[in-house]
Amino acid sequence: MFITLEGPDGSGKSTQVQPLAEYLRQEGYTVFTTREPGGTTISDQVREVLMRLDNRSMYPRTETLLFCAARAQLVEEVIRPRLQRGEIILCDRYADSTLAYQGYGHGVDRDVIRSLLAFATGGLKPDLTLLLDVDAETGLRRRQTGGGEWNRLDAYQLEFHRRVRDGYRELASLEPERWVIVDAEQTPEMVQLAIRGIVTARTGI
Ligand code: TYD
């Protein structure tokens, strides 16, 4: 079972992963959590390049390829072998982030991104994707007033974050069998309860 959490910056994804993992472990499952970009030594090195504030001149195509490169390594080294062993993988961001940010956000051709993603992941898609949905203003405000380090990608304009949010919602509507939208304006406790309910209902866990 491969479950991903997606959402705009400040949607609170990262605080939801560990409690969900704990809950599933209590139910007797072996759960592995990871995040993107990163999750392997090589992918973390690529993350460094992507997040550096002084790399402001990076082009969207370069970004797209680097996110895909980090992901290719994570899939081969970590995700696929663990799925084969029967583990549940919870991943904080995955391929849909590239469609939302580089595709909808920066206008990189989404069909091209889709082929790059297919190549980078060897076609591995999540069984379930939770979209933690929050409007761009709330997300950015949360990001600025606490939680998480401020990074180069946070510095883009609000307009960019609006496109990302709308892009996510469109992605969810295109594949309703894989996506579930969670209202992330609720308290973290409520979001966690909602997520547990969805995971149980959708996967039979
Ligand atoms: P991070 O500090 O991990 O933020 P978050 O807690 O919001 O996940 O930074 C990841 C940033 O990279 C975030 O702004 C989203 C962006 N990103 C992309 O633009 N494309 C991608 O494919 C991925 C995985 C992330």
Side-chain angles (χ1 to χ4, degrees):
M1 186 64 58
F2 180 26
I3 301 172
T4 58
L5 278 87
E6 294 284 354
D9 296 57
S11 59
K13 285 175 296 83
S14 310
T15 45
Q16 299 295 337
V17 175
Q18 288 315 324
L20 177 61
E22 274 318 306
Y23 166 72
L24 295 171
R25 287 186 187 117
Q26 277 160 21
E27 299 291 304
Y29 295 96
T30 305
V31 183
F32 187 82
T33 63
T34 186
R35 66 147 186 201
E36 278 223 71
T40 73
T41 308
I42 292 169
S43 310
D44 280 338
Q45 288 169 27
V46 178
R47 180 187 174 89
E48 264 294 303
V49 176
L50 280 160
M51 298 298 150
R52 280 175 66 137
L53 279 164
D54 54 358
N55 280 344
R56 212 165 277 123
S57 61
M58 192 182 291
Y59 293 106
R61 288 182 194 201
T62 316
E63 243 177 52
T64 303
L65 292 168
L66 287 175
F67 281 117
C68 285
R71 182 165 306 130
Q73 187 69 27
L74 179 69
V75 168
E76 293 264 17
E77 193 177 317
V78 175
I79 300 181
R80 227 181 254 286
R82 287 182 179 272
L83 285 173
Q84 272 157 9
R85 293 204 291 270
E87 297 183 20
I88 296 179
I89 304 288
L90 296 184
C91 195
D92 183 349
R93 296 197 183 283
Y94 185 62
D96 298 302
S97 283
T98 308
L99 280 165
Y101 283 80
Q102 281 64 50
Y104 290 93
H106 285 302
V108 177
D109 186 305
R110 290 197 292 280
D111 288 332
V112 174
I113 295 182
R114 284 196 169 88
S115 359
L116 287 172
L117 291 173
F119 174 71
T121 63
L124 181 70
K125 281 200 157 198
D127 299 293
L128 173 65
T129 300
L130 300 160
L131 171 56
L132 271 61
D133 187 40
V134 72
D135 74 34
E137 287 84 349
T138 312
L140 278 185
R141 210 177 321 114
R142 281 187 186 167
R143 195 64 210 240
Q144 281 161 19
T145 51
E149 82 244 46
W150 180 255
N151 65 48
R152 188 179 67 81
L153 296 170
D154 288 324
Y156 289 128
Q157 298 301 312
L158 186 59
E159 260 318 301
F160 172 81
H161 287 92
R162 291 208 175 107
R163 289 197 297 277
V164 170
R165 195 256 180 141
D166 293 346
Y168 267 128
R169 293 172 67 94
E170 186 167 299
L171 289 172
S173 72
L174 291 173
E175 274 181 282
E177 64 293 345
R178 174 163 71 87
W179 290 79
V180 180
I181 300 180
V182 180
D183 173 8
E185 310 243 349
Q186 312 173 76
T187 63
E189 294 74 22
M190 295 295 287
V191 173
Q192 180 64 209
L193 279 179
I195 288 177
R196 289 180 186 183
I198 292 161
V199 169
T200 310
R202 285 286 183 125
T203 65
I205 279 172

